[in-house]
């Protein structure tokens, strides 16, 4: 199943990390993920992105076994309950990619852009789309001192190199998505520059996915606003990204983003 690129889509975020839930019990996690999926799909998400490893700044890595145990039962339950929904898995690990592909996911969303061992092999052997994201450093330490010669061309060059490597490994061009990785080893100024010049990343053969939802750059632009109060800021940033050519918006607040998309599409010439 290929993801549409003609018109922008909203990808709803489903986190299955322990800190997202009051009780880490298996049944509870599956049940909560199903309820959240139902709401996000009802609100207009056409893709759901399921992640079992936090990659936000400062986050610690998780083991393969823990990530598999969190993510795979949730994918299985989602596929059974919502067979028509497009699923994406947010992972860097080849083992998790392989198991997710067996559950029928349409996209592998990888903040490491398939640089982990065997990730490229696993994805090229399957009929799956891949999202290649740019990150400088690793989540635990990436915000300590990000440096670029030119953030736009550095990110663009990295993403096009990874896309070429994917094509050479046999992943079809139509299956490759790029993502500048807002907040991943980038200062506020770097993030602002990337969004201001996002159209430079859309002039490639590959469609663009962006994640801005509730990130610290939105909080900082609003004067250190807490996470729960970043919805409007996130929605405006998402609308700007779409007007500059982004084709998938990865968001928490699906309903609000879908409204913004409808208005932007109706009124922008
Ligand atoms: C993203 C993304 C992602 N973001 C893709 N996958 C996260 N493809 C997880 C902050 O500054 O943008 N694209 N998977 C979440 N990561 C972050 C990063 C969350 C930074 C918060 C911040 O607050």
């Amino acid at each position: 199943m290929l993801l549409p690129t003609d018109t922008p889509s909203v990808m709803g975020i489903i986190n299955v990390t322990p800190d997202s839930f009051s009780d880490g019990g298996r049944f509870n996690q599956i049940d909560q993920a199903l309820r959240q999926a139902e709401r996000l799909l009802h609100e207009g998400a056409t893709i759901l992105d399921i992640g079992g490893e936090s990659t936000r700044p400062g986050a610690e890595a998780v083991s393969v076994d823990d990530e598999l145990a969190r993510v795979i039962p949730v994918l299985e339950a989602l596929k059974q309950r919502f067979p028509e929904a497009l699923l994406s898995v947010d992972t860097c690990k080849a083992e998790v990619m392989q198991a997710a592909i067996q559950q029928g996911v349409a996209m592998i969303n990888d903040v490491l852009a398939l640089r982990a061992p065997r990730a490229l092999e696993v994805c090229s052997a399957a009929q799956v789309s891949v999202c290649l994201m740019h990150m400088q450093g690793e989540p635990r330490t990436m915000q300590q001192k990000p440096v670029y010669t030119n953030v736009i061309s550095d990110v663009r060059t990295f993403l096009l190199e990874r896309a070429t490597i994917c094509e050479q490994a046999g992943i079809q061009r139509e299956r490759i998505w790029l993502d500048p990785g807002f907040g991943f080893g980038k200062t506020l100024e770097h993030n602002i520059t990337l969004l201001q010049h996002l159209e430079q990343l859309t002039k490639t053969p590959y469609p663009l996915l962006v994640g801005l939802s509730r990130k610290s750059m939105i909080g900082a632009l609003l004067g250190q606003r807490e996470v729960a109060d970043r919805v409007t800021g996130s929605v405006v940033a998402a609308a700007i990204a779409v007007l500059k050519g982004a084709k998938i918006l990865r968001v928490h607040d699906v309903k609000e983003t879908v409204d913004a998309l409808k208005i932007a599409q109706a009124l922008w010439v």
Side-chain angles (χ1 to χ4, degrees):
M1 255 170 298
L2 280 177
L3 296 150
T5 55
D6 49 339
T7 173
S9 305
V10 173
M11 168 186 264
I13 300 169
I14 298 188
N15 283 318
V16 285
T17 46
D19 53 1
S20 307
F21 296 95
S22 45
D23 158 352
R26 185 76 55 88
F27 172 77
N28 202 41
Q29 282 218 339
I30 295 173
D31 194 51
Q32 292 211 47
L34 285 170
R35 282 170 206 272
Q36 199 186 348
E38 183 165 38
R39 194 185 86 238
L40 298 179
L41 292 168
H42 179 76
E43 291 178 349
T46 51
I47 317 162
L48 300 175
D49 187 44
I50 292 80
E53 174 178 48
S54 175
T55 51
R56 61 183 52 250
E60 299 281 342
V62 299
S63 73
V64 174
D65 288 348
D66 284 353
E67 197 179 328
L68 282 169
R70 286 177 198 168
V71 168
I72 303 306
V74 169
L75 289 177
E76 192 174 10
L78 287 170
K79 201 70 196 171
Q80 190 174 5
R81 176 86 161 269
F82 309 105
E84 303 303 309
L86 294 172
L87 302 181
S88 160
V89 66
D90 188 343
T91 189
C92 303
K93 298 184 181 73
E95 295 90 340
V96 178
M97 293 174 185
Q98 181 67 71
I101 287 164
Q102 279 159 8
Q103 297 299 330
V105 298
M107 174 179 267
I108 303 293
N109 171 26
D110 184 1
V111 301
L112 271 186
L114 306 185
R115 286 178 291 164
R118 296 193 17 88
L120 191 58
E121 259 179 87
V122 165
C123 292
S124 58
Q127 294 289 83
V128 74
S129 294
V130 296
C131 178
L132 309 174
M133 200 197 75
H134 175 274
M135 167 166 58
Q136 185 175 96
E138 46 150 342
R140 199 172 51 80
T141 53
M142 65 190 177
Q143 291 308 105
Q144 284 171 10
K145 203 188 180 314
V147 277
Y148 295 89
T149 307
N150 175 319
V151 69
I152 308 152
S153 57
D154 290 4
V155 167
R156 187 176 192 279
T157 300
F158 170 83
L159 292 174
L160 290 177
E161 273 173 17
R162 293 307 303 166
T164 301
I165 288 167
C166 286
E167 286 203 51
Q168 284 165 352
I171 301 178
Q172 298 153 283
R173 177 167 290 194
E174 300 71 43
R175 297 189 181 278
I176 300 173
W177 291 71
L178 306 181
D179 181 341
F182 287 103
F184 286 88
K186 292 161 187 100
T187 62
L188 174 61
E189 203 174 13
H190 293 141
N191 289 316
I192 291 172
T193 302
L194 275 172
L195 189 50
Q196 283 176 333
H197 300 280
L198 195 71
E199 62 281 351
Q200 291 190 34
L201 296 174
T202 61
K203 292 177 196 141
T204 79
Y206 314 99
L208 206 62
L209 182 156
V210 300
L212 292 153
S213 188
R214 300 183 184 175
K215 285 187 179 174
S216 53
M217 67 178 283
I218 304 296
L221 287 168
L222 296 173
Q224 301 312 322
R225 190 71 65 81
E226 62 185 273
V227 176
D229 240 352
R230 296 178 187 171
V231 179
T232 307
S234 299
V235 169
V236 172
I240 290 169
V242 154
L243 295 177
K244 286 176 175 280
K247 295 298 190 228
I248 296 182
L249 300 170
R250 181 183 180 278
V251 306
H252 300 89
D253 305 292
V254 170
K255 178 176 183 286
E256 292 83 353
T257 307
V258 168
D259 279 0
L261 266 185
K262 285 181 185 165
I263 300 303
Q265 280 177 298
L267 301 182
W268 198 255
V269 286

